[in-house]
Amino acid sequence: MANHPFVSIPHPADTILLHACCAPCTSGIIHYLLKQHIKPVIFYFNPNIFPQEEYEIRKAENKRYAKALNLDFVDADYDHEAWKKQVQHLSDEPERGERCLECFKIRLAETARYASKNGIKIFTTTLASSRWKSLSQINEAGNYAAILYPGVTFWTNNWRKNGLAQKQTEIIREYDFYRQQYCGCEYSLHGSVKNQKQG
């Protein structure tokens, strides 16, 4: 694998498991990985997304991009009610609060479990490309998930730097991706609507 100053890969790999939240966030990262001769397996596990119609739209856009690039796409189960039971005690938390951290842990723990079960040594997440998310929370959740499954490593990286944000914008335009207006869960949806009314 070619060396690159942008990232520090935990150890050489030609395949990683990429937890994908939405096509716009996924686009720049996949572009970079393929340039480095790393073929990601796209893992779509986002039970936080509400309503289900929104979930299906985001999943379809991810699948469309994966198909265009001839990448494997793993469609994990959607169980919003199970997710909600795990975070509802944090319903009053603000965005980037404890609820978001718990949500990241749930999603990345499942990603790490799948990686471990299928012999994939490294996983990372497109959540780290969003400027609306806390990078420290994402890294904490990813490292937490990796501890649960020895032999699996979370690739900590800031996917917002070194021109990737600009590349992401270019790919979004090229593919005309659907761009959501809120994070995904009903709590962020209600917050988004509230902010729009106040604005």
Side-chain angles (χ1 to χ4, degrees):
M1 184 186 305
N3 291 325
H4 196 284
F6 176 40
V7 294
S8 176
I9 301 172
H11 49 79
D14 56 11
T15 301
I16 70 166
L17 188 63
L18 177 63
H19 170 262
C21 55
C22 66
C25 288
T26 304
S27 58
I29 296 176
I30 289 180
H31 171 81
Y32 172 80
L33 293 175
L34 294 177
K35 283 280 189 179
Q36 298 302 305
H37 308 292
I38 303 171
K39 189 174 183 180
V41 174
I42 301 175
F43 187 70
Y44 192 77
F45 179 71
N46 301 290
N48 59 303
I49 299 176
F50 178 87
Q52 186 166 356
E53 290 79 6
E54 178 75 16
Y55 170 87
E56 296 295 343
I57 291 171
R58 298 188 194 190
K59 181 175 73 174
E61 290 289 78
N62 269 280
K63 291 180 75 172
R64 177 164 70 92
Y65 192 46
K67 184 176 181 180
L69 298 176
N70 195 30
L71 296 175
D72 291 333
F73 182 91
V74 178
D75 184 0
D77 290 337
Y78 177 74
D79 190 342
H80 182 70
E81 288 305 313
W83 172 88
K84 193 172 180 179
K85 286 179 181 178
Q86 290 178 273
V87 303
Q88 61 186 359
H89 65 290
L90 301 168
S91 61
D92 293 330
E93 284 286 308
E95 287 297 292
R96 297 192 179 201
E98 288 299 312
R99 184 184 66 249
C100 292
L101 175 59
E102 184 66 20
C103 177
F104 297 155
K105 285 183 175 179
I106 292 168
R107 293 150 80 187
L108 295 184
E110 179 61 15
T111 305
R113 186 197 70 79
Y114 184 91
S116 177
K117 182 179 178 181
N118 290 276
I120 302 175
K121 301 298 184 183
I122 301 175
F123 72 101
T124 192
T125 177
T126 64
L127 290 165
S129 72
S130 173
R131 61 191 178 95
W132 303 110
K133 303 290 189 298
S134 165
L135 195 58
S136 63
Q137 284 187 335
I138 293 165
N139 290 337
E140 180 180 344
N143 289 322
Y144 158 84
I147 289 172
L148 297 177
Y149 298 93
V152 175
T153 300
F154 177 64
W155 184 359
T156 302
N157 191 54
N158 186 342
W159 296 103
R160 308 167 192 176
K161 293 184 175 181
N162 294 70
L164 274 194
Q166 176 60 35
K167 188 62 186 179
Q168 176 177 302
T169 300
E170 294 173 6
I171 297 172
I172 290 170
R173 289 173 180 164
E174 178 185 353
Y175 283 85
D176 192 26
F177 283 137
Y178 166 74
R179 302 189 72 173
Q180 60 274 9
Q181 301 302 310
Y182 63 104
C183 172
C185 71
E186 54 262 59
Y187 308 114
S188 63
L189 173 59
H190 296 155
S192 176
V193 171
K194 182 179 179 181
N195 290 337
Q196 289 174 11
K197 288 181 178 179
Q198 291 177 345

